Amino acid sequence: KSFKKIDEELFEELEEALIMADIGVDTTLNIINGLRIKVKEQKITDASELKQLLIEEISSLLERGDHEIHVDEGPTVILVIGVNGVGKTTTIGKLAHNMKQQNKKVLLAAADTFRAAAIDQLEVWGNRAGVDVIRHQENSDPAAVIFDAVQAAKSRKTDVLICDTAGRLHNKKNLMEELRKIFRIISREYPEARKEVLLVLDATTGQNALQQVKLFKEVADITGIILTKLDGTAKGGIIIAINSEMNIPVKYIGVGEGIDDLQPFNPQEFAKALFAEENNDSL
Amino acid sequence: MAFESLSDKLQDVFKKLKSKGKLTEKDVNAALREVKLALLEADVNFKVVKSFIDKIKQRAVGHDVLESLTPGQQVIKIVHEELIDLMGSTQSKLTFSNNPPTVYMMVGLQGAGKTTTSGKLGGQIKKMGKKPLLVACDVYRPAAIKQLQVVGSQVGIPVFSIEDSKQPVEIAKAALQYAKDNRNDIVIIDTAGRLHIDEKLMDELEEIKSVVKPQEILLVVDAMTGQDAVNVAESFNEKLGIDGVILTKLDGDTRGGAALSVRSVTQKPIKYVGLGEKLEDLQPFYPDRMASRILGM
Ligand SMILES: Nc1nc2c(ncn2[C@@H]2O[C@H](COP(=O)(O)OP(=O)(O)OP(=O)(O)O)[C@@H](O)[C@H]2O)c(=O)[nH]1
Ligand SMILES: Nc1nc2c(ncn2[C@@H]2O[C@H](COP(=O)(O)OP(=O)(O)OP(=O)(O)O)[C@@H](O)[C@H]2O)c(=O)[nH]1
Ligand SMILES: [K+]
Ligand SMILES: [Mg+2]
Ligand SMILES: [Mg+2]
């Protein structure tokens, strides 16, 4: 490969790539400034080395934290939350299938009683994965569904109870309080269970995702993020800002609408993909 | 509310500009850099921001601006004009066919809000005294037909579907005939969410289009979309030739930069904005008002 020099233009190119990946202005400028210092310190002159350095920096940042969902240590309740349309229900279908394949006894709770046909949607996924769904009627109290599902999980000796919730924008006070209540019921009714609270983020989301994480974190202890829709052209770079500001690990990524389209998060690959376009011509 | 924080930032920049009697080229460049960062933070696409700022720069650093009595005001005026140019100046209404039924096709990425918006739009059109029909062409998403049926019943609009069909093109064709037979003068086709890079499914939309000859193809875009909005809008527009955009979920605290990006790359108007999950939460979009609000004018 031909040798390319490091110049101002290259820094600008990288800056552009990072911003276009939704990493955000502040985080991008921080990363690029850090890179400038390293270049001086380590006397780096080759452009390709620079890009490699950047990829390593980003992936090491994203490696922090626990990327597993632990289902081998006693009963687990997974609460799935997020704004509207990000892929919560679909992800639950995939997760249920995934855990079923690990020979776990899985139960789903249809606590989105609000959106049109949300319960039926989850039921279809339950059928696909071959797991039962605890459901009430449309427009009933979601907290009551959660309560029932927890009792059912206990009496059936379920390994993993996965709870679907209605999409809600993080700035809606009453809906967020409803979620707080749901989280509280799980803690109160099932203290011995391991809790995972997974926030689902759509990879196409821009800077607003930071706000989403901040406000959802206030009502439930988020243990991980699932980044969906990475099969598109969006890069999901906002999780870098989320990781550096709030240190919440990404646990899985969604790469399609099928039941198998859920993958463990791989920081290295993710970081590489941020520069995917440029890889073609310059790396 | 959307655009608020962008508006705050820009007003800070403008205050600084106005407080200076004389402006040098350097002052203008510094101010424009701040405008640029504010727009990027609001998720306006990088390339769109770049060309926007370049345009303003070209106009703003000339003699007649810098030497004028109120250079700060002049620069702000230029930014305002360019913003209006970017967003469009007048409201673009939904159009109706002279030869009913008028067909609208809702398209977009997964989860953008097509099905919900189909119901909202149908509800509003019904209030105009028309007889809309909703058509369930999403044969992929679990319970998508049921979802549209629930939405339809909430606004009192019939839904056409073929439960066991996996052929959206056939469903659309049959729906059109049904509308004619039942004197439905408006047909709103809800399509499945799809990625703009999914060739097969993009071809499917093209086929539906050629069969139903829609009056308008409306691209539904989530207001929280980041830089990718440009890719999505460009691809859908190139493939289908969209007629307008509906921006959903503006009831969040998003900065809504996607609105500017989408309009800029397609030159197609934003016709409505979605402001909630309820079926009455759909409003016409007024770009000039929005531009003024962004700039706090
Ligand atoms: N391409 C792609 N589509 C996805 C992915 N995950 C989910 N989807 C699609 O996104 C759309 C919304 O998914 P849902 O699972 O209904 O999202 P949700 O968060 O439950 O939505 P609400 O309950 O309405 O808030 C559906 O069309 C899904 O098929 C993914 O990883 N890739
Ligand atoms: N807050 C808010 N939520 C909205 C708005 N429009 C749609 N939604 C919600 O967004 C989610 C997705 O909406 P859908 O209508 O199912 O989206 P879709 O584009 O049909 O999704 P697919 O068919 O899976 O591609 C649902 O939870 C809706 O209630 C809006 O303007 N504001
Ligand atoms: K991607
Ligand atoms: Mg859901
Ligand atoms: Mg839909």
Side-chain angles (χ1 to χ4, degrees):
Chain A
K1 292 268 161 82
S2 67
F3 179 87
K4 199 176 157 198
K5 269 185 71 159
I6 295 175
D7 51 15
E8 200 44 39
E9 203 180 318
L10 180 64
F11 279 115
E12 267 169 37
E13 231 174 72
L14 291 174
E15 195 177 293
E16 175 176 344
L18 295 182
I19 287 177
M20 295 275 270
D22 288 313
I23 290 174
V25 174
D26 287 348
T27 310
T28 296
L29 294 181
N30 280 341
I31 291 175
I32 297 289
N33 284 340
L35 202 61
R36 281 179 199 275
I37 293 168
K38 281 231 168 90
V39 164
K40 265 202 190 135
E41 280 174 0
Q42 303 180 13
K43 302 200 169 51
I44 299 167
T45 49
D46 187 348
S48 67
E49 219 179 309
L50 183 65
K51 217 170 272 177
Q52 204 45 49
L53 194 65
L54 193 52
I55 288 172
E56 272 158 31
E57 286 246 337
I58 292 173
S59 54
S60 74
L61 179 70
L62 292 173
E63 249 149 41
R64 296 185 305 173
D66 178 4
H67 299 273
E68 306 276 307
I69 294 178
H70 302 269
V71 288
D72 284 325
E73 299 157 31
T76 305
V77 182
I78 302 178
L79 180 65
V80 180
I81 60 179
V83 300
N84 307 83
V86 287
K88 293 175 292 299
T89 308
T90 308
T91 299
I92 289 170
K94 298 174 187 175
L95 273 175
H97 172 67
N98 178 305
M99 292 179 177
K100 188 86 190 301
Q101 284 190 319
Q102 301 175 46
N103 290 317
K104 298 292 167 206
K105 204 168 166 217
V106 182
L107 185 66
L108 304 183
D112 179 358
T113 56
F114 174 73
R115 216 219 47 225
I119 301 169
D120 302 77
Q121 184 190 3
L122 188 69
E123 195 114 280
V124 173
W125 278 110
N127 284 334
R128 287 181 183 175
V131 307
D132 283 348
V133 179
I134 301 296
R135 57 179 290 176
H136 289 185
Q137 291 200 320
E138 279 204 23
N139 297 318
S140 61
D141 178 11
V145 180
I146 295 289
F147 184 90
D148 277 3
V150 167
Q151 308 313 325
K154 283 189 201 170
S155 67
R156 298 183 191 189
K157 304 213 168 9
T158 299
D159 297 311
V160 191
L161 168 65
I162 314 179
C163 308
D164 193 15
T165 60
R168 68 199 76 220
L169 292 177
H170 49 287
N171 60 336
K172 307 248 158 124
K173 291 258 157 51
N174 54 340
L175 295 179
M176 294 304 279
E177 282 313 312
E178 179 189 276
L179 197 57
R180 192 197 295 277
K181 186 171 158 198
I182 287 174
F183 181 67
R184 217 187 286 136
I185 287 174
I186 295 172
S187 312
R188 190 186 67 208
E189 295 301 317
Y190 210 170
E192 65 273 33
R194 245 192 108 88
K195 279 104 195 160
E196 287 276 357
V197 179
L198 301 178
L199 178 76
V200 181
L201 286 182
D202 181 332
T204 52
T205 314
Q207 300 310 298
N208 186 252
L210 262 177
Q211 210 52 28
Q212 293 175 24
V213 180
K214 276 183 192 146
L215 293 180
F216 273 100
K217 207 158 76 85
E218 285 178 11
V219 295
D221 297 332
I222 300 172
T223 56
I225 286 170
I226 296 191
L227 189 65
T228 59
K229 308 187 193 175
L230 266 179
D231 45 328
T233 48
K235 312 270 193 193
I238 191 63
I239 61 159
I240 295 166
I242 290 169
N243 226 285
S244 53
E245 281 188 34
M246 283 169 287
N247 205 2
I248 299 175
V250 179
K251 300 219 169 186
Y252 280 93
I253 59 170
V255 291
E257 299 183 80
I259 202 160
D260 290 312
D261 293 327
L262 187 74
Q263 295 174 359
F265 176 65
N266 180 331
Q268 184 83 26
E269 268 174 36
F270 179 85
K272 259 194 217 155
L274 295 173
F275 306 94
E277 265 181 2
E278 279 152 50
N279 280 345
N280 300 335
D281 45 70
S282 58
L283 257 191
Chain B
M1 181 54 202
F3 297 114
E4 221 160 59
S5 97
L6 174 58
S7 158
D8 288 348
K9 289 221 173 81
L10 292 182
Q11 283 181 60
D12 279 348
V13 179
F14 293 161
K15 215 183 281 163
K16 271 188 240 161
L17 272 180
K18 273 193 273 192
S19 69
K20 293 199 176 173
K22 270 245 160 272
L23 284 185
T24 63
E25 192 170 329
K26 214 173 135 204
D27 293 329
V28 175
N29 284 340
L32 288 183
R33 181 176 157 77
E34 282 185 51
V35 173
K36 176 178 154 185
L37 294 181
L39 290 170
L40 286 174
E41 267 166 50
D43 286 324
V44 184
N45 180 269
F46 186 89
K47 295 196 165 117
V48 173
V49 172
K50 210 162 166 225
S51 80
F52 179 69
I53 296 290
D54 284 348
K55 260 197 215 159
I56 296 171
K57 215 175 252 178
Q58 264 182 15
R59 292 182 56 192
V61 295
H63 270 283
D64 25 333
V65 173
L66 295 182
E67 308 287 304
S68 75
L69 286 175
T70 52
Q73 300 282 14
Q74 300 290 327
V75 173
I76 294 166
K77 186 165 161 265
I78 292 170
V79 175
H80 190 217
E81 282 167 10
E82 289 298 333
L83 192 62
I84 295 253
D85 189 58
L86 194 65
M87 299 187 75
S89 54
T90 53
Q91 188 211 350
S92 295
K93 295 206 167 109
L94 202 63
T95 61
F96 296 90
S97 167
N98 295 326
N99 182 19
T102 298
V103 179
Y104 305 119
M105 236 173 108
M106 313 294 276
V107 302
L109 292 186
Q110 289 95 344
K114 296 172 294 298
T115 306
T116 311
T117 307
S118 297
K120 290 178 180 176
L121 193 62
Q124 299 213 345
I125 294 177
K126 187 184 167 198
K127 280 193 189 138
M128 299 170 171
K130 298 196 185 284
K131 252 190 91 183
L133 175 72
L134 295 172
V135 182
C137 274
D138 180 354
V139 300
Y140 309 104
R141 171 173 163 159
I145 298 175
K146 176 80 190 293
Q147 186 189 359
L148 192 66
Q149 283 167 342
V150 172
V151 163
S153 75
Q154 284 169 352
V155 284
I157 298 176
V159 175
F160 181 89
S161 66
I162 305 179
E163 287 291 339
D164 45 9
S165 169
K166 291 281 168 220
Q167 306 290 331
V169 181
E170 299 308 315
I171 298 170
K173 201 188 280 178
L176 212 57
Q177 190 54 51
Y178 179 94
K180 283 173 188 158
D181 294 344
N182 290 275
R183 295 217 211 100
N184 291 108
D185 48 2
I186 303 285
V187 174
I188 300 174
I189 299 180
D190 180 30
T191 66
R194 66 202 71 215
L195 291 174
H196 52 294
I197 51 172
D198 186 330
E199 275 180 46
K200 199 166 142 260
L201 287 185
M202 290 302 282
D203 285 345
E204 179 195 283
L205 286 181
E206 208 176 24
E207 266 183 79
I208 297 179
K209 175 187 174 181
S210 74
V211 165
V212 301
K213 308 215 165 27
Q215 174 74 10
E216 298 207 15
I217 298 179
L218 297 166
L219 177 67
V220 180
V221 180
D222 184 328
M224 295 180 280
T225 315
Q227 298 286 317
D228 200 39
V230 156
N231 298 328
V232 175
E234 225 161 20
S235 305
F236 272 93
N237 192 35
E238 268 167 25
K239 183 75 176 174
L240 301 168
I242 62 167
D243 298 282
V245 174
I246 299 183
L247 202 64
T248 60
K249 308 179 201 174
L250 255 186
D251 46 327
D253 56 0
T254 168
R255 286 122 194 219
L260 275 64
S261 302
V262 166
R263 154 75 212 210
S264 163
V265 296
T266 62
Q267 292 296 313
K268 298 293 160 57
I270 294 167
K271 297 208 166 182
Y272 288 95
V273 292
L275 291 160
E277 292 189 77
K278 302 222 181 64
L279 293 166
E280 63 271 16
D281 296 330
L282 184 75
Q283 286 176 14
F285 181 71
Y286 302 97
D288 45 344
R289 288 186 204 169
M290 197 58 94
S292 297
R293 242 182 63 199
I294 290 177
L295 299 177
M297 298 173 116

